Amino acid sequence: MVAIGLYALDQLTKYIVLQLLGQWQERVIIPGFFKFVHWGNTGAAWSFLSGNNKLLAAVAAVALVGLFLARKHFELRSRLGRFAFGLVLGGIAGNLTDRLLPGRQHVIDFLRFYLNTANGEVGFPAFNVADSAICVGVTLIFWVSWRTERAARLPAKTSAGPGVS
């Protein structure tokens, strides 16, 4: 359910961007700090491998199927683990949809945080809801896995008090 909800939110926000801005347009929301933009990214994070949309779509499709098939290897017994896994799957599916849609074939990035400096604008690369979900989901998966492994290594606590056998 998390994956489906996240996917729907991601696609809805991108639809809104398409309705409000032409490609490469920007709208300042908080001057010197935040812009609503419509930037297309044919690469991976921070435009790494830019221009390789088909390759990245194939990698995302394989990752999506692989993660789903390997889900038993993740800590999904906890609510937080399931939530995190849903974020990752929904995020991958959202960006994959962008890459596959005819006429688009790029990921729509629209959130841009930046600062104005004496040397011009300096900021974090534009991103979207799916990107955020993947980052948060992966971080949570690592944290849940670390916590679970750590708990397994701790000695078992007994309920018997001192001197009780």
Side-chain angles (χ1 to χ4, degrees):
M1 294 307 294
V2 171
I4 292 167
L6 188 284
Y7 175 82
L9 177 63
D10 177 66
Q11 292 302 299
L12 174 64
T13 56
K14 291 171 180 173
Y15 173 78
I16 292 168
V17 170
L18 291 170
Q19 298 307 304
L20 297 177
L21 296 173
Q23 191 162 1
W24 305 114
Q25 283 189 319
E26 303 176 352
R27 187 167 295 154
V28 175
I29 305 300
I30 302 173
F33 182 70
F34 177 67
K35 291 180 185 179
F36 185 60
V37 301
H38 177 186
W39 295 354
N41 183 0
T42 58
W46 300 286
S47 296
F48 177 68
L49 295 175
S50 187
N52 288 286
N53 191 61
K54 289 180 182 177
L55 170 68
L56 293 168
V59 168
V62 168
L64 194 60
V65 171
L67 285 169
F68 181 78
L69 294 175
R71 68 190 179 279
K72 67 181 179 181
H73 298 289
F74 292 91
E75 177 51 56
L76 300 179
R77 289 174 288 189
S78 71
R79 225 181 254 182
L80 185 57
R82 290 188 302 273
F83 178 76
F85 197 70
L87 289 177
V88 173
L89 292 181
I92 293 172
N95 281 344
L96 176 59
T97 298
D98 289 356
R99 292 184 187 286
L100 296 177
L101 285 175
R104 190 179 306 169
Q105 298 185 346
H106 62 266
V107 172
I108 295 174
D109 290 329
F110 58 90
L111 302 167
R112 169 82 168 140
F113 291 90
Y114 68 99
L115 295 173
N116 286 326
T117 69
N119 296 326
E121 189 176 292
V122 176
F124 195 79
F127 60 97
N128 59 46
V129 171
D131 297 337
S132 299
I134 293 167
C135 291
V136 170
V138 167
T139 301
L140 288 174
I141 286 170
F142 278 116
W143 186 68
V144 168
S145 297
W146 172 79
R147 215 176 66 178
T148 302
E149 288 176 18
R150 184 172 169 257
R153 286 192 308 260
L154 292 175
K157 294 182 180 180
T158 61
S159 59
V164 179
S165 317

